[in-house]
Amino acid sequence: MHIILVEDDLQLGEAIRQALERLSYAVTWLRDGREALAAMRDQTADLVLLDLGLPNKDGLEVLAEARRSQVNTPVIVMTARDGLEARVRGLDAGADDYLVKPFHVEELSARIRSLTRRAQGLAANRIDVGVISLDIGTCEAEYRGQRVELTRREFSLLRILMERAGRIVRREHLENSLYGLDNAVGSSALEVQIHALRRKLSFDAIRTIRGVGYMIPRDPT
């Protein structure tokens, strides 16, 4: 899952980035309002964490302009502005959730999971597709009832494919979600992750759609 983090405080931004990466998220960290708006308009991220007090363009302006541009990416506003009026303005501008600083990483993680469940139409932290099961809360995977040990990126890749079971997921989307926008990705990096997943699950569990991307069938074997 690819998260755009928009935070101009270097110490806080680095702490949030590290915490998110430990939770298996790919993170693109931006510190400027104009850069944030441009990145949101690209709609390459699965979720945006948006500070309000940004240089060059205030976070509320960024959010309002993004929504006027038909950007529908889920947004969690992070701010020290704790008043009722500030919260109402943020939600009215298009925020999906509101988190007041300082906050615990556990609360941020829970809000991210909740918001992504809603965005994917899921009611719980568990995803079941045929003989494959994922627990998003504990980052555990099972294949035919047996626990499967996955790396951070393998888990993230499997989650993306399972959330879209029966649909083709384009290669570009997978690369952005796994590696973010800040990292150069080798031409074979995604294939290496796909091959590793097939070895741990089944070579028929993930289908290659040549020239387009990959797909997990609704009833994988």
Side-chain angles (χ1 to χ4, degrees):
M1 180 177 178
H2 176 209
I3 294 177
I4 291 178
L5 167 64
V6 189
E7 172 59 67
D8 65 319
D9 184 293
L10 296 181
Q11 184 175 0
L12 179 58
E14 179 63 19
I16 296 173
R17 183 189 66 79
Q18 291 183 8
L20 292 173
E21 290 182 345
R22 284 195 297 270
L23 292 167
S24 301
Y25 298 116
V27 181
T28 297
W29 178 18
L30 304 175
R31 304 164 183 81
D32 176 275
R34 291 176 183 166
E35 291 181 349
L37 180 58
M40 289 175 69
R41 282 173 169 162
D42 284 343
Q43 300 202 66
T44 58
D46 300 291
L47 183 138
V48 177
L49 299 176
L50 180 65
D51 182 36
L52 294 186
L54 298 170
N56 294 320
K57 189 179 284 287
D58 183 78
L60 280 178
E61 293 181 54
V62 171
L63 181 55
E65 288 190 32
R67 293 310 192 208
R68 284 197 295 269
S69 300
Q70 305 304 310
V71 174
N72 57 12
T73 308
V75 175
I76 298 177
V77 165
M78 309 178 300
T79 182
R81 304 175 192 175
D82 190 20
L84 174 61
E85 182 180 352
R87 292 199 300 273
V88 169
R89 287 182 64 203
L91 293 169
D92 283 345
D96 297 276
D97 202 350
Y98 201 100
L99 196 56
V100 177
K101 302 175 185 176
F103 49 79
H104 291 285
V105 172
E106 291 81 3
E107 181 181 6
L108 174 61
S109 177
R111 288 176 182 268
I112 291 172
R113 291 196 302 270
S114 175
L115 194 51
T116 52
R117 284 200 309 271
R118 274 188 275 157
Q120 295 295 331
L122 302 172
N125 276 334
R126 187 177 176 90
I127 306 174
D128 295 293
V129 179
V131 294
I132 308 172
S133 299
L134 281 188
D135 189 313
I136 299 171
T138 61
C139 291
E140 295 179 349
E142 293 182 359
Y143 178 68
R144 296 189 181 277
Q146 299 297 313
R147 175 86 175 271
V148 179
E149 295 293 336
L150 300 178
T151 66
R152 176 176 67 87
R153 283 215 169 101
E154 288 167 359
F155 183 90
S156 297
L157 173 57
L158 184 58
R159 173 181 172 176
I160 296 166
L161 292 171
M162 288 180 65
E163 286 176 339
R164 299 158 178 81
R167 291 180 284 163
I168 300 170
V169 185
R170 298 187 67 85
R171 178 190 182 92
E172 295 83 359
H173 178 82
L174 291 170
E175 289 178 340
N176 286 334
S177 294
L178 291 177
Y179 303 102
L181 300 176
D182 293 335
N183 301 306
V185 182
S187 59
S188 62
L190 181 58
E191 283 81 358
V192 170
Q193 299 295 329
I194 291 288
H195 180 71
L197 271 182
R198 284 170 169 159
R199 288 183 59 192
K200 294 180 178 182
L201 303 174
S202 162
F203 281 91
D204 295 325
I206 303 173
R207 295 178 182 172
T208 300
I209 313 300
R210 295 198 178 277
V212 182
Y214 298 90
M215 178 183 71
I216 283 185
R218 294 189 182 277
D219 190 17
T221 58

